[in-house]
Amino acid sequence: MSTDERPEFAEAESTARGGRTSAAGTALEKSMRILEAVAAPGGPHRLTDVVAAAAVPKSSTFRILASLIEQGFVRSEGESRYGVGPRLRGLSALVSGGEPASIEQILRELQEATGQAVHLALHSGETITYIRKLESEQPFQTASRVGMRMPLHTTAIGKSILARLPGEEARELVAAAGLPRRTPRTLTTPQALEAELERVRERGFALDDEENEATIRCIGAAITDAHGRPVGGVSITTVTFLVSRKEIEAYAPALLAATRALAPLL
């Protein structure tokens, strides 16, 4: 019998919920209360604080958090702390007052200024998740799609995020995810990646030069919060046979202006 099924645990949980006894509030209600606890101001929150705020047993809270992390609604911040994940941030942007139009306008202006595909992604642990994509005016489409999760070390957005994280935290993420090769140009050693991240820090943007997908070239920059911590990023995506590396680097000022404009909205 699991701890959730034992009478003493059921009684304690019912008391914590003010007497509600409907299957611990149902799995859905548990999940919603945990999401509310994670999204409360002052995060990332400790597991014990989430348990107390959600009034859900620790074992159930841990299990539900693991599922929410896998789905991208919550992100693990280390040391048993949990924060808002990219899918929850994206959902918030879609339903909140004037923000979606502002986000959409910024991305649309960037797409129109460059004529290339534009991606908006949010950071979640060892990956980024695309939450918006505007297609190129060119007669081709990339394989990326909204909801797709991508590695940090092979993408322009991912590398720009790694470059803005504290060094030890970035190294831990890279060690946990590894450096799997996706194309012959993928950086697959910590030394090569660190040298590239230093270049990203110097110029303020990152390049993916066929490192994630053959014939695809991207420029990306991080979006940071009020404390300077990267929460996501924006990229401009082209194909190598139409846009040279020098040409895509010329988009950097417009890209960086867009990330600065998006920062307060995310």
Side-chain angles (χ1 to χ4, degrees):
M1 179 181 293
S2 70
T3 54
D4 287 356
E5 294 170 331
R6 295 174 189 171
E8 61 270 28
F9 280 90
E11 181 180 355
E13 188 175 8
S14 176
T15 300
R17 295 195 316 273
R20 288 173 290 170
T21 59
S22 58
T26 75
L28 177 59
E29 186 177 346
K30 283 182 182 179
S31 299
M32 293 301 99
R33 295 206 306 273
I34 289 170
L35 275 177
E36 288 176 342
V38 169
H45 299 287
R46 296 177 302 173
L47 175 61
T48 52
D49 294 333
V50 175
V51 169
V56 174
K58 185 175 181 179
S59 60
S60 296
T61 299
F62 187 79
R63 184 173 62 251
I64 291 170
L65 282 170
S67 177
L68 292 172
I69 290 169
E70 177 65 24
Q71 296 300 317
F73 288 101
V74 172
R75 58 183 274 177
S76 174
E77 301 283 359
E79 299 181 347
S80 295
R81 290 179 178 271
Y82 300 89
V84 174
R87 289 188 68 183
L88 187 56
R89 287 186 184 275
L91 188 61
S92 173
L94 288 174
V95 301
S96 60
E99 291 186 2
S102 298
I103 293 172
E104 179 70 22
Q105 180 181 1
I106 293 165
L107 296 176
R108 180 61 62 188
E109 289 176 353
L110 182 62
Q111 191 276 330
E112 291 175 352
T114 63
Q116 309 300 333
V118 170
H119 294 84
L120 171 64
L122 293 176
H123 177 215
S124 178
E126 300 161 17
T127 63
I128 58 170
T129 302
Y130 294 129
I131 66 168
R132 189 73 177 90
K133 177 184 180 181
L134 279 66
E135 288 289 357
S136 166
E137 297 174 355
Q138 306 296 336
F140 68 88
Q141 291 189 352
T142 59
S144 59
R145 65 181 186 278
V146 172
M148 178 180 284
R149 293 197 290 180
M150 300 298 292
L152 296 175
H153 74 290
T154 66
T155 57
I157 291 177
K159 288 192 291 183
S160 69
I161 289 170
L162 284 172
R164 296 298 294 268
L165 288 171
E168 185 60 31
E169 183 176 351
R171 286 188 288 272
E172 288 177 358
L173 287 175
V174 170
L179 296 170
R181 185 181 299 277
R182 292 179 64 88
T183 77
R185 298 179 67 93
T186 301
L187 303 178
T188 57
T189 68
Q191 296 78 11
L193 179 60
E194 182 53 43
E196 174 66 9
L197 294 183
E198 185 57 35
R199 288 188 286 270
V200 174
R201 296 182 190 105
E202 291 174 358
R203 62 196 178 200
F205 61 86
L207 285 170
D208 158 17
D209 201 1
E210 297 188 86
E211 297 161 48
N212 189 68
E213 184 179 348
T215 76
I216 299 299
R217 180 176 284 136
C218 304
I219 182 174
I223 301 170
T224 57
D225 64 16
H227 305 289
R229 183 177 179 82
V231 296
V234 176
S235 67
I236 300 169
T237 301
T238 69
V239 288
T240 55
F241 51 83
L242 288 180
V243 179
S244 70
R245 178 169 175 149
K246 183 177 181 180
E247 288 171 325
I248 198 173
E249 287 181 341
Y251 297 146
L255 173 68
L256 294 173
T259 60
R260 288 192 296 268
L262 286 165
L265 303 181
L266 294 178

